[in-house]
């Protein structure tokens, strides 16, 4: 739903004559829980070369609240990976958050290379990152329904989800309108998978 809403917002901007300068690919992949199959396939068979792919913004679970979150639970998102591969990305993320007065808590705790959850490796952005593409993984954290049939739509906090998706949209808009690609000046320096 988040991807479709962002795509719709870009389409609406285009109808107003406001087109992004760069091509954007909206992609929903499958097989994440089986081993990141869909994103792995794309990384091996990209429609645009990964060397010319500026950034991957991955949305995976942005509608719920992590009950263990310490902070403003109605105004946060975990951002994972934006400190790796490019020194450009985290400052841009911070700037977007401030410029558009979103003022969300961008929680980066899972960027720690020693994070026992290893979320950096566990979602589809990783197949881009391991190929040198800077990434941001937007994530709400875990909850009691994580990977269970009880994770139903009635438990989504739609206002919080909207705020998170607006952040992703403005970040995508900024990325698609940059003069240059993000610098790739940091090595993939994470413990082996």
């Amino acid at each position: 739903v988040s991807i479709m809403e962002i795509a719709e917002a870009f389409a609406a901007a285009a109808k107003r004559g406001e087109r992004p300068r760069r091509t954007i690919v909206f992609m929903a992949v499958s097989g994440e829980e089986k081993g990141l199959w869909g994103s792995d396939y794309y990384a091996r068979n990209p429609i645009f070369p990964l060397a010319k792919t500026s950034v991957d913004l991955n949305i995976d679970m942005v509608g719920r609240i992590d009950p263990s979150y310490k902070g403003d639970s109605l105004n946060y998102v975990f951002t994972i990976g934006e400190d790796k591969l490019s020194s450009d990305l985290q400052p841009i993320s911070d700037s977007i958050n401030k410029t558009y007065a979103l003022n969300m808590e961008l929680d980066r705790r899972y960027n720690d290379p020693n994070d026992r959850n290893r979320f950096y490796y566990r979602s589809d952005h990783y197949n881009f990152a391991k190929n040198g593409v800077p990434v941001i993984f937007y994530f709400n954290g875990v909850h009691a329904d994580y990977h269970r049939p009880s994770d139903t739509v009635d438990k989504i906090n739609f206002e919080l989800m909207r705020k998170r998706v607006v952040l992703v949209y403005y970040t995508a808009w900024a990325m698609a309108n940059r003069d240059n690609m993000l610098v790739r000046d940091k090595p993939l320096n994470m413990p082996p998978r």
Side-chain angles (χ1 to χ4, degrees):
V1 169
S2 299
I3 294 169
M4 290 187 295
E5 288 294 319
I6 293 170
E8 186 176 284
F10 272 94
K15 284 181 183 176
R16 294 189 309 268
E18 301 170 18
R19 294 186 177 276
R21 293 168 51 196
R22 296 181 181 272
T23 300
I24 300 173
V25 175
F26 295 95
M27 180 178 4
V29 295
S30 61
E32 187 220 22
E33 296 301 330
K34 297 285 188 181
L36 311 179
W37 288 355
S39 59
D40 177 60
Y41 180 85
Y42 182 86
R44 288 183 287 109
N45 304 280
I47 59 173
F48 298 103
L50 294 182
K52 293 188 176 197
T53 300
S54 191
V55 68
D56 173 56
L57 304 178
N58 182 33
I59 304 168
D60 187 2
M61 296 176 32
V62 292
R64 297 282 305 265
I65 296 171
D66 184 332
S68 67
Y69 187 73
K70 306 283 191 257
D72 185 351
S73 64
L74 296 178
N75 195 44
Y76 81 96
V77 65
F78 293 111
T79 55
I80 302 170
E82 64 189 340
D83 66 330
K84 298 164 184 30
L85 303 174
S86 176
S87 59
D88 286 343
L89 194 49
Q90 189 166 312
I92 290 169
S93 190
D94 288 335
S95 173
I96 296 300
N97 192 34
K98 182 178 179 184
T99 299
Y100 294 98
L102 300 168
N103 300 314
M104 294 195 71
E105 293 177 10
L106 304 182
D107 193 312
R108 298 175 168 119
R109 74 182 72 186
Y110 296 122
N111 282 331
D112 181 347
N114 298 312
D115 171 44
R116 65 180 176 81
N117 296 292
R118 298 175 60 88
F119 288 129
Y120 184 69
Y121 298 106
R122 291 174 44 193
S123 193
D124 291 297
H125 62 278
Y126 185 71
N127 282 315
F128 291 86
K130 74 180 184 183
N131 284 289
V133 177
V135 302
I136 304 176
F137 171 28
Y138 299 91
F139 179 55
N140 58 216
V142 296
H143 44 74
D145 302 306
Y146 184 60
H147 290 168
R148 293 188 172 26
S150 57
D151 191 4
T152 54
V153 70
D154 57 295
K155 296 173 182 167
I156 291 175
N157 181 315
F158 285 101
E159 178 54 25
L160 180 55
M161 182 177 176
R162 184 198 64 77
K163 288 171 77 172
R164 290 169 174 160
V165 172
V166 166
L167 175 68
V168 179
Y169 168 78
Y170 283 129
T171 303
W173 186 264
M175 295 292 105
N177 285 291
R178 288 176 52 84
D179 289 333
N180 301 306
M181 286 182 46
L182 297 171
V183 297
R184 296 180 180 193
D185 58 349
K186 295 182 173 187
L188 182 62
N189 189 17
M190 294 292 287
R193 195 169 174 189

